Amino acid sequence: HHNISIEDTTFSEIGGSDIRRAAENTYAMNVYVSTHENSEFLVLRGAAGHFGPTPGTRVFNNSVYLSHPGETQGIVCYSGCGPDILEVRNNAIWVEWKGLYADAPFAETNNLYWRGNGHPLLQFFGEGNAMDESSLIADPLFRDVAGFDLRPAAGSPLIGAGVAVDVAFDRDAAGVVIDEAQGVDIGAYRRP
């Protein structure tokens, strides 16, 4: 939590072996920005994957901007994704290639997805797998996306569009005190 990663090619890829399993990992209040081709925010697997499963992976209040159009990916969950594998809430994900890939239904609400052309590539595969009605496809109105400032500008749809989660932090990614009385915002930064 509270990591800021700029110009890396992968924020995190998790897996395990028969001896050691990656389980119960929470990613929260992180900022990931990259201009590199093939950049990925988070890659994880279900039970059918060689390095899976990675159960209990929770992804809350992260801000992601991957500006290269060549095979950049926000969240990838394959080889048997599911609600026991992945929970995704309150994330701002702007990716110029693929914002999300999941090969089966998982827990997803109150996220914002975007792409510069207004049509993010979101691949919800498997019967009943779809973006939740609480999630948005909208320009997040980051303060200065070209300068990697992913804080919400005034009027941003990120403000107040989140949902309470069971992981609480008293400060956002910039160290600003979080006032829960103002509501829950999407992304790693609080309202201006």
Side-chain angles (χ1 to χ4, degrees):
H1 63 86
H2 291 85
N3 296 290
I4 296 178
S5 177
I6 297 176
E7 298 295 18
D8 288 321
T9 55
T10 301
F11 184 82
S12 185
E13 181 171 358
I14 58 175
S17 68
D18 293 338
I19 299 169
R20 294 184 179 174
R21 290 273 178 227
E24 309 304 323
N25 289 286
T26 299
Y27 295 84
M29 294 287 177
N30 298 296
V31 178
Y32 175 52
V33 178
S34 179
T35 62
H36 297 294
E37 186 175 16
N38 299 317
S39 296
E40 306 161 316
F41 172 57
L42 178 62
V43 179
L44 63 151
R45 301 153 175 87
H50 177 69
F51 296 108
T54 54
T57 305
R58 303 180 319 155
V59 185
F60 303 146
N61 290 95
N62 299 284
S63 294
V64 176
Y65 175 60
L66 306 179
S67 64
H68 198 289
E71 299 189 21
T72 50
Q73 300 184 81
I75 297 175
V76 178
C77 184
Y78 66 98
S79 294
C81 196
D84 60 322
I85 300 293
L86 179 62
E87 179 182 1
V88 180
R89 305 191 195 287
N90 302 337
N91 299 282
I93 300 174
W94 179 335
V95 178
E96 285 301 314
W97 187 52
K98 188 183 302 181
L100 182 133
Y101 173 91
D103 66 358
F106 64 101
E108 186 272 345
T109 66
N110 299 84
N111 298 290
L112 182 143
Y113 303 100
W114 189 243
R115 185 178 183 182
N117 70 4
H119 302 285
L121 177 56
L122 305 173
Q123 296 178 315
F124 289 88
F125 291 109
E127 186 176 337
N129 196 13
M131 185 177 86
D132 189 82
E133 63 184 27
S134 65
S135 290
L136 305 168
I137 293 177
D139 185 335
L141 299 179
F142 292 135
R143 284 190 187 180
D144 180 12
V145 70
F148 300 160
D149 183 351
L150 303 190
R151 294 174 296 166
S156 169
L158 301 171
I159 299 170
V163 64
V165 295
D166 65 356
V167 175
F169 294 102
D170 61 352
R171 297 186 183 274
D172 74 2
V176 174
V177 174
I178 296 172
D179 181 0
E180 301 236 351
Q182 290 183 335
V184 179
D185 296 342
I186 291 176
Y189 296 108
R190 297 306 82 184
R191 64 195 66 209

